[in-house]
Amino acid sequence: MACLLWPVAQVYALLIALRHRLYRWGAFKSTSAGVPLLIVGNVVAGGAGKTPVVIAIVKHLQARGLKVGVVSRGYGRTGKDCREVLASTPALEAGDEPLLILQATDAPVFVAPRRIDAARALLAAHPATALIVCDDGLQHYALQRDIEIAVFDERGVGNGWLLPAGPLREPWPQRLRQAAPSRQRGIDLVLHTGQTAAFEGFTSTRQLAEHARAADGSRVALSSLRGEAVTALAGIAKPESFFAMLRACGLTLGQTIALPDHYRFESYSLPVAAGSTVLCTEKDAVKLFAMPPAAQVRLLAVPLEFSPEAAFLAALDGLLSPLLSSPLSQLPSDHGHQTA
C-alpha cells in the first residue's frame, strides 16, 4: 500500500515546494499583522499538543508583563465569521480549543477562517496588544510570522514520508531555521510534548492535576475517587493518553469512551448509569458543561498541567526581546541556547 501512495506523496512534495517558493518570490501575498506574531503548529497531521503549548506560552508572557492576544481558525466550529471568543460564546461557534485558551489565560482570542482577519480584528478591539500568538498555521503562509514553533509528540515524524504515504504535512527538517533565510523562514524552536523526545529539541512535562473540576467550579480530589469504578470520556486526538494518565493516578476505569477529536456532543447522551462519575478532559468540558446535566451523573473535568522546560522559555524570551518595543520584565540574563 505504501508503494502505491509514494508517487502521490512525491507530487504533494512538489506542490508544497512550489507553493512555498511562490510566497517567497512574492507571487502569493503574505500579510503582516502589524505586531510581532508567533505561530505554534506542527508538521505532522493529527494532534500533537499545540493548545497546551499555546496556553503555557501565553501565561509565561503575561507573567512577564506582555499584553498577548491569540488568533485561531477555530477548527470544528459551525460559523465562518470573524469574531471575538467570549466566555459566553458557545463552543460550537468559537471552537473548543479557542474557548479553552480563553478560559485558561483570559487573553483576547479571535477566530476567523483567514487568520489575518482575526489578527486585524483583535488589534482593532485591543490596540494595546503587543504580541499575537497563532494557534496552528505553520503552513498558512498568507500570514507573516516572526517566530515559528513546531510541536511534536512521541510519534516524531513517523516514517518520515509526506501525506498520504506518511504523516508529514511538509518536508522535515528542510524548513529548520538555518535552512530558510527568507521572510517565510524556518522553524525557530522545536518542542516535544510526549513523555520522551523523538529527536533533538526542547522537552516538556505533562501530567494530570490532583483534582477534577465540576461545572460549578468546585473541586474534587482525584484521590477521593480511588476504589470507585469511574467512566472516562475523551474526544481528543489520542483518548488513550488521557485514560492512561487517569490509571497512573490510581483510578479504576470501569468504562472508557473514546470519541473523535473535536467531537461536538450535539444531542449526545452519556451512556452511563445514574449515580456514575464521569471524568473528561477540559477540552471536552467546554462543550459538555454547557449541555443540560445528565440526571444523577457527576461530570468532572480533569485539568492537564503542562510545563515546557525552562530552557525553552528562556530561548523564546531571547527571540522575542529584539522584536518588542519594550523589554520583557525580569528577562533572564542567560537565555540558554536553541537545541532545535
Side-chain angles (χ1 to χ4, degrees):
M1 185 60 161
C3 294
L4 297 176
L5 295 176
W6 178 240
V8 180
Q10 288 180 306
V11 173
Y12 181 56
L14 291 174
L15 292 175
I16 291 173
L18 176 60
R19 177 172 174 267
H20 191 245
R21 282 172 172 75
L22 289 172
Y23 272 105
R24 292 178 64 177
W25 295 336
F28 290 168
K29 185 179 180 181
S30 183
T31 307
S32 170
V35 298
L37 188 137
L38 181 160
I39 287 186
V40 178
N42 60 356
V43 300
V44 177
K50 294 185 300 294
T51 300
V53 176
V54 169
I55 292 172
I57 288 174
V58 171
K59 286 184 174 180
H60 168 72
L61 296 176
Q62 287 174 330
R64 298 298 177 98
L66 199 65
K67 293 187 181 298
V68 186
V70 178
V71 297
S72 172
R73 185 179 62 165
Y75 183 85
R77 72 190 187 105
T78 55
K80 299 296 183 181
D81 58 337
C82 175
R83 67 161 60 197
E84 181 170 11
V85 178
L86 305 173
S88 58
T89 306
L92 290 179
E93 297 177 14
D96 48 19
E97 289 166 345
L99 189 55
L100 180 58
I101 292 169
L102 174 72
Q103 292 177 353
T105 67
D106 201 31
V109 179
F110 278 70
V111 293
R114 296 177 69 244
R115 293 170 181 85
I116 187 61
D117 294 337
R120 287 170 173 164
L122 190 155
L123 292 173
H126 303 273
T129 301
L131 171 76
I132 292 176
V133 177
C134 182
D135 181 15
D136 205 2
L138 281 183
Q139 294 80 32
H140 185 64
Y141 302 135
L143 181 63
Q144 288 184 11
R145 67 288 310 268
D146 297 279
I147 298 174
E148 292 185 331
I149 298 173
V151 179
F152 290 88
D153 57 17
E154 292 94 340
R155 296 172 297 166
V157 296
N159 61 9
W161 289 4
L162 291 172
L163 295 167
L168 290 178
R169 295 175 174 175
E170 60 177 273
W172 185 266
Q174 278 116 309
R175 214 159 64 79
L176 281 172
R177 176 68 182 93
Q178 57 269 27
S182 73
R183 184 63 176 170
Q184 297 304 331
R185 52 200 242 170
I187 306 299
D188 294 279
L189 301 171
V190 170
L191 181 66
H192 296 278
T193 61
Q195 296 295 328
T196 57
F199 50 87
E200 188 178 15
F202 292 105
T203 60
S204 57
T205 60
R206 55 189 299 148
Q207 62 184 20
L208 296 180
E210 295 181 351
H211 67 275
R213 178 176 58 87
D216 61 5
S218 60
R219 293 185 174 189
V220 176
L222 289 185
S223 59
S224 68
L225 302 177
R226 291 172 184 162
E228 176 183 348
V230 302
T231 295
L233 178 151
I236 58 177
K238 293 180 291 184
E240 279 301 330
S241 64
F242 178 63
F243 304 153
M245 285 191 286
L246 289 173
R247 293 187 180 100
C249 293
L251 300 185
T252 301
L253 306 187
Q255 179 184 8
T256 59
I257 303 172
L259 298 169
D261 195 13
H262 302 284
Y263 192 76
R264 292 186 175 184
F265 294 102
E266 293 174 297
S267 303
Y268 182 78
S269 179
L270 286 169
V272 296
S276 299
T277 296
V278 178
L279 302 179
C280 68
T281 69
E282 287 185 301
K283 179 175 168 178
D284 296 311
V286 299
K287 289 169 283 192
L288 287 171
F289 282 170
M291 296 172 58
Q296 300 180 33
V297 173
R298 182 166 61 161
L299 179 63
L300 303 171
V302 186
L304 176 69
E305 295 180 343
F306 176 85
S307 299
E309 65 169 305
F312 169 81
L313 297 174
L316 176 61
D317 288 346
L319 291 172
L320 280 175
S321 186
L323 300 174
L324 301 172
S325 57
S326 57
L328 292 169
S329 62
Q330 302 175 353
L331 190 66
S333 57
D334 180 10
H335 299 315
H337 65 281
Q338 180 179 332
T339 61

